């Protein structure tokens, strides 16, 4: 399966050279968008990836979301947004 875009956010600081040279398989290089910042559950924040990225696609696009934040104060509200907001 080919992904046109893969967005990944990580709050832990990583050396971009290590991410793109050592960790990322070459087949994903052209599709990968890496955001080395924590995400936000605030619906108005550009760091809410559901608002700033996922909402930019349309109903014909297949979108796969792996929500794994390990901090329930952010993860639970984002899960509710996925379940309850028909616009995303």
């Amino acid at each position: 399966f080919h992904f046109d875009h893969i967005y990944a956010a990580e709050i832990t600081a990583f050396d971009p050279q290590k991410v793109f040279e050592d960790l990322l398989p070459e087949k994903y290089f052209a599709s990968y968008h890496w955001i080395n910042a924590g995400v936000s559950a605030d619906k108005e924040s550009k760091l809410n990836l559901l608002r700033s990225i996922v909402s930019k696609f349309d109903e014909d696009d297949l979108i796969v979301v792996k929500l794994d934040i390990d901090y329930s104060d952010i993860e639970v509200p984002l899960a509710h947004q996925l379940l309850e907001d028909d616009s995303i």
Side-chain angles (χ1 to χ4, degrees):
F1 188 83
H2 172 77
F3 287 100
D4 294 324
H5 301 280
I6 301 170
Y7 292 90
E10 174 59 54
I11 195 168
T12 304
F14 279 96
D15 176 9
Q17 188 80 23
K18 180 164 182 61
V19 170
F20 287 97
E21 228 175 66
D22 300 338
L23 302 175
L24 182 66
E26 188 171 345
K27 68 181 183 178
Y28 299 124
F29 197 85
S31 304
Y32 195 66
H33 308 278
W34 179 55
I35 302 162
N36 202 179
V39 300
S40 172
D42 178 353
K43 289 182 180 182
E44 302 303 316
S45 173
K46 66 181 172 182
L47 289 175
N48 180 326
L49 301 187
L50 299 177
R51 181 199 73 81
S52 62
I53 297 171
V54 174
S55 64
K56 303 299 187 244
F57 294 94
D58 62 43
E59 62 187 35
D60 294 330
D61 294 311
L62 171 66
I63 298 172
V64 178
V65 175
K66 178 183 183 265
L67 183 59
D68 183 13
I69 297 177
D70 299 331
Y71 184 65
S72 62
D73 287 350
I74 296 173
E75 188 169 353
V76 171
L78 287 172
H80 283 284
Q81 288 173 36
L82 279 171
L83 293 169
E84 297 168 359
D85 188 341
D86 290 336
S87 69
I88 54 175

